[in-house]
Amino acid sequence: MLIDSQPDLTVVGEAGDGGEALERLAVTSCDVVLMDVRMPRMDGIEATRQLLAREEAPQVVVLTTFDLDEHAFAAIKAGAAAFLLKDATPDTLLGAIRTVHEGDSVVAPTTTRRLLAHFAEALPDPTTPAPDRRLDGLTEREREVLVLVGRGLSNTEIAREFTVSEATVKTHIGRLLAKTASRDRVHLVVLAYETGLVP
């Protein structure tokens, strides 16, 4: 009801589990998939992984009940472009769908912190830093933008920080994605922490 109430959004299909979703998506094209994590037969993690292995796959927004649901984190690692709680406001959900459709990712700052805390033990020890070549090709401004992305700032907030346009920020993020071979903004956040740019 919420999605169909919007003039620019249309629900093209629904499924009761991950397996049914994959079957329907094999014959129905769409731009964005809202994927629950916990489902019978095939959960949202495996469904996301299999879906994103297809050519011209849609973007996936993962929905979960708990901030610290490790299955949701696994779905993000599988390539989901957004992570939202099921109690997100209608405006947040609709905004996430539109943002993901435009090619960006959505992870709220509070969720970003929890996500990174979840993986904190796997991050490198800052007292014994190893050379990380993934940032070698970045300009100083691109590194600065990556730091702010890592801290959970939106494009609007980053633009305000540097007194530039949002279009300029999008250009920087596009270059960051290309230079670091990152799939989306979520992976840029993890990269910022893994390389020690954000303590």
Side-chain angles (χ1 to χ4, degrees):
M1 288 175 56
L2 175 64
I3 294 172
D4 278 334
S5 71
Q6 303 300 300
D8 59 331
L9 301 176
T10 303
V11 176
V12 296
E14 297 180 51
D17 60 64
E20 184 184 354
L22 291 174
E23 292 166 7
R24 289 178 178 267
L25 288 165
V27 295
T28 304
S29 63
C30 71
D31 299 306
V32 178
V33 173
L34 300 181
M35 186 77 74
D36 195 352
V37 172
R38 297 179 178 177
M39 295 184 289
R41 195 158 73 105
M42 181 187 293
D43 63 30
I45 301 167
E46 184 57 30
T48 296
R49 186 178 295 113
Q50 291 190 28
L51 177 61
L52 295 177
R54 298 177 179 178
E55 290 186 13
E56 299 183 5
Q59 299 285 358
V60 177
V61 175
V62 170
L63 297 172
T64 185
T65 305
F66 305 105
D67 255 338
L68 294 175
D69 189 332
E70 64 183 16
H71 299 299
F73 297 152
I76 289 176
K77 291 183 72 176
F83 174 88
L84 291 177
L85 296 180
K86 289 183 181 179
D87 63 359
T89 65
D91 285 345
T92 298
L93 177 59
L94 293 171
I97 292 171
R98 293 185 176 102
T99 299
V100 164
H101 178 252
E102 292 172 359
D104 209 340
S105 297
V106 178
V107 181
T110 55
T111 302
T112 299
R113 287 192 289 273
R114 288 182 169 91
L115 170 65
L116 293 165
H118 183 76
F119 291 117
E121 293 181 2
L123 297 179
D125 183 349
T127 61
T128 57
D132 197 316
R133 316 307 300 184
R134 290 176 291 177
L135 305 182
D136 284 358
L138 302 186
T139 66
E140 187 61 32
R141 177 47 59 93
E142 287 165 353
R143 283 174 177 261
E144 293 170 346
V145 171
L146 181 56
V147 167
L148 297 185
V149 169
R151 291 177 179 161
L153 272 67
S154 67
N155 286 357
T156 302
E157 291 168 329
I158 294 172
R160 193 178 304 124
E161 185 80 16
F162 293 128
T163 319
V164 297
S165 69
E166 284 191 54
T168 299
V169 174
K170 286 184 178 181
T171 298
H172 285 312
I173 290 177
R175 289 176 180 158
L176 281 169
L177 292 170
K179 288 182 178 182
T180 62
S182 297
R183 175 183 169 86
D184 53 37
R185 196 184 196 96
V186 175
H187 291 144
L188 287 179
V189 171
V190 174
L191 176 65
Y193 277 77
E194 286 181 339
T195 56
L197 281 182
V198 177

